[in-house]
Amino acid sequence: MTTYSRRTFIEQIGWGIGGVMASPSLVAMAQERANVFDGKKLTIALCGLGRYANVLKGGIAASQFCRLAGIVTGTPAKAAQWKKEYGLPDKNSYTYQNFDQIANNPDIDVVYITLPNGLHKEFTLRAAKAGKHVIVEKPMAFTEKDCQEMIDACQKAGVQLAVGYRLHYDPHHIELKRLGQQKVFGQVRLIEASLGYRLDGISPDDWHLKKAMAGGGPLMNLGVYCVQSSRYVLGEEPTAVTAQFGPVTMPHLFKEVEENITWQLYFPGGAVCTSSCTSNCNIDRFFASADEGYFELEPALSYGPFKGRTSQAAFTFPVVNQQAAQVDDIARHILSNKPLPAHISGEEGRKDMRVLEGIYKAAISGQKVNLV
């Protein structure tokens, strides 16, 4: 079994499975963690203080180049708690009603939007108009058209737009990309990538069950991870899709959005990716079969810790703070006045949304849908 300990990570990270040179971004991540940064930091305001914001705050605290400088919330008790915990001044705390006043606050560089899906577009447009850079969580919006409007608004305002693709900074996923795009085991022919959580017991009033706020069920909530993994590993855009809705086993909850959905993406290189997203059971796996071997992760698409193996050996990289790595990379680019890398840009979010829309269209129609 091939493993990489925390202590030997920097020494060994230059080498991938089988002695092949690993991605330079892995090396950069290791070297960066070995340094202490005491210069100007990117200041972030979290917009929406729900579950994921409570994950992100740890990532920002662990980052080298970022600092939590503001909050946006509709709950006074949350505002009071966060201001006390992080020593935030009252002037850096906003409600959804007075959010636009953030335009007058030079203390905040970036607005990180972690609101329900249905509010992503509105607050991206408002943040851009206020002259703030934007990071928005996945899915970027409800439609490809909405994504393009968000991209155009940020370009017009002269600010940068990123999407929260945290897995792009995890060493295990960087390894999957290397194995697939460099064809370490030959041409990838088949990918299976699925993600699901059993939501029995969730409140019927949860926003994930409301079409107006969620845009859909597990496809909108989780499907982007499956679509991303296949596009990321193959380095290709799917050309067509077929899809099927699964059964509704919890009709008291799933009145507006789907409970289960399965789809097949067809890629120009010949690979087919089959995925399922569900709210009925727990699943979290990625498997790729190539001409001369296979590689997989399980867990794969959640927060980890991930465990991988190939047809030759197991691989385990150290656990990294995905959120810290993500915001640090964004900070490096913005603080240096450089454009964000394409793989986390709004354009990447638009491409994912094009596929998600195609999956819904295929499932509703029962027909194969062309994506090009």
Side-chain angles (χ1 to χ4, degrees):
M1 178 176 179
T2 304
T3 61
Y4 297 84
S5 70
R6 290 178 185 272
R7 199 170 102 180
T8 59
F9 184 41
I10 294 177
E11 297 174 353
Q12 298 184 359
I13 200 167
W15 298 95
I17 303 303
V20 181
M21 198 67 178
S23 165
S25 56
L26 282 179
V27 179
M29 285 166 57
Q31 292 173 339
E32 182 177 288
R33 290 296 170 218
N35 300 321
V36 176
F37 178 74
D38 58 1
K40 173 179 166 49
K41 295 193 175 185
L42 190 75
T43 52
I44 298 175
L46 288 178
C47 183
L49 302 183
R51 181 194 61 82
Y52 192 60
N54 280 280
V55 176
L56 268 173
K57 68 181 184 181
I60 295 172
S63 69
Q64 293 214 36
F65 308 120
C66 302
R67 177 172 62 83
L68 180 63
I71 52 174
V72 185
T73 180
T75 307
K78 287 183 179 179
Q81 175 189 342
W82 281 64
K83 285 190 291 185
K84 180 179 179 181
E85 182 176 355
Y86 289 96
L88 302 175
D90 289 341
K91 69 183 183 67
N92 288 8
S93 176
Y94 297 88
T95 67
Y96 302 128
Q97 289 70 38
N98 69 10
F99 170 77
D100 304 302
Q101 296 175 15
I102 203 170
N104 304 316
N105 193 336
D107 292 348
I108 294 170
D109 301 318
V110 177
V111 175
Y112 197 136
I113 299 166
T114 62
L115 295 164
N117 305 338
L119 297 172
H120 287 181
K121 177 184 175 182
E122 175 190 343
F123 278 86
T124 294
L125 298 182
R126 290 172 71 178
K129 187 176 180 180
K132 304 301 180 183
H133 301 291
V134 182
I135 309 171
V136 63
E137 266 308 309
K138 311 168 297 296
M140 185 174 165
F142 280 179
T143 67
E144 183 182 9
K145 181 176 181 291
D146 286 345
C147 294
Q148 190 61 56
E149 288 183 38
M150 295 157 71
I151 293 168
D152 292 344
C154 289
Q155 289 178 343
K156 181 179 178 180
V159 299
Q160 299 214 56
L161 172 61
V163 183
Y165 290 117
R166 58 180 171 79
L167 290 182
H168 286 203
Y169 296 96
D170 185 273
H172 298 81
H173 282 261
I174 294 172
E175 178 68 357
L176 291 186
K177 177 185 177 182
R178 185 186 72 85
L179 293 170
Q181 291 197 19
Q182 295 186 18
K183 295 180 171 56
V184 173
F185 295 103
Q187 177 65 49
V188 174
R189 302 295 178 182
L190 172 71
I191 291 177
E192 294 179 352
S194 295
L195 185 60
Y197 303 100
R198 181 160 175 79
L199 297 186
D200 187 24
I202 192 175
S203 168
D205 296 324
D206 190 281
W207 68 264
H208 291 90
L209 303 176
K210 308 300 179 183
K211 191 172 180 64
M213 280 288 98
L219 179 60
M220 290 292 282
N221 186 32
L222 306 173
V224 66
Y225 293 96
C226 303
V227 170
Q228 262 288 303
S229 65
S230 58
R231 292 180 53 239
Y232 193 53
V233 167
L234 293 170
E236 298 177 350
E237 295 301 318
T239 57
V241 60
T242 49
Q244 308 80 36
F245 288 119
V248 177
T249 67
M250 294 177 280
H252 61 293
L253 295 178
F254 291 90
K255 300 175 181 179
E256 299 183 27
V257 298
E258 81 279 357
E259 180 184 330
N260 299 283
I261 188 167
T262 297
W263 67 92
Q264 303 78 37
L265 294 179
Y266 302 86
F267 288 85
V272 176
C273 177
T274 297
S275 297
S276 293
C277 280
T278 178
S279 299
N280 185 44
C281 66
N282 298 320
I283 184 169
D284 182 5
R285 69 184 302 266
F286 174 95
F287 176 87
S289 181
D291 287 341
E292 300 167 11
Y294 68 84
F295 49 98
E296 64 182 339
L297 280 184
E298 188 173 2
L301 302 170
S302 56
Y303 298 108
F306 301 130
K307 294 182 179 180
R309 69 172 181 169
T310 75
S311 47
Q312 294 182 353
F315 63 91
T316 301
F317 293 101
V319 174
V320 301
N321 189 311
Q322 299 163 359
Q323 291 77 20
Q326 171 196 308
V327 296
D328 268 343
D329 188 51
I330 291 171
R332 270 198 310 271
H333 285 82
I334 291 178
L335 291 172
S336 301
N337 294 313
K338 294 180 180 178
L340 291 170
H343 70 91
I344 60 164
S345 68
E347 180 64 16
E348 185 73 2
R350 182 194 66 79
K351 291 177 181 178
D352 276 338
M353 198 61 241
R354 175 177 63 90
V355 178
L356 295 186
E357 282 192 278
I359 294 170
Y360 275 131
K361 185 176 180 180
I364 291 169
S365 67
Q367 303 295 316
K368 191 173 189 176
V369 171
N370 290 324
L371 297 173
V372 293

